Amino acid sequence: MEDPESAGTAPPGLSSLLPPREFLRSRKGQLLLAESVLSFIIFICYIASLAASFMMAPLLEFLLALFLFFAYASRLNEKFKGVHWPLADFLRCVTAAIIYFAISIAAVSKYGDGASKAAGVFGFAATIVFAIDFYITFNDLVTFLKQGSSDSPEGHKTE
């Protein structure tokens, strides 16, 4: 039997779950990874703070960012054409930026413990990361919508 490492292919297992390196080096991959990490840190900070009522928003954003990270890494956006991926990603980023900004202001101003303040500071950083992502995604969305409108110009004519 030949050793799998000498054949030049990675052995099946945990390494097959890791995203490809080219996706991790892409701007979208780095943004989704940063969003996931920041959301998880904010979630942990809210659990340890007096502002534990805010912990659901970072948990949901962490799970959504993680799902989209693996969806884009495994190219699900190319396989499932029925889902408007740029629009879904844009709406996720806009709502996350607004929610993080609002709960960060509340956590910093209303609660005095250190974990709430840390969650607020990380929340402001997450707001900036999500804002950058929705700006980039907006440009992709405009391109996506322009391609959709130029595909069938006869379909828009009335009788």
Side-chain angles (χ1 to χ4, degrees), residues 120-147:
V121 170
F122 281 116
F124 287 127
T127 300
I128 293 169
V129 170
F130 277 102
I132 290 169
D133 195 9
F134 84 69
Y135 175 75
I136 293 168
T137 306
F138 178 74
N139 292 334
D140 294 341
L141 181 62
V142 168
T143 305
F144 179 77
L145 292 175
K146 283 183 182 178
Q147 287 175 351

Side-chain angles (χ1 to χ4, degrees), residues 84-125:
H84 296 290
W85 291 94
L87 180 61
D89 198 18
F90 175 75
L91 292 175
R92 178 192 63 88
C93 291
V94 167
T95 56
I98 292 170
I99 289 171
Y100 272 132
F101 186 69
I103 66 174
S104 295
I105 289 175
V108 169
S109 65
K110 188 175 178 184
Y111 298 97
D113 60 323
S116 296
K117 302 274 187 205
V121 170
F122 281 116
F124 287 127

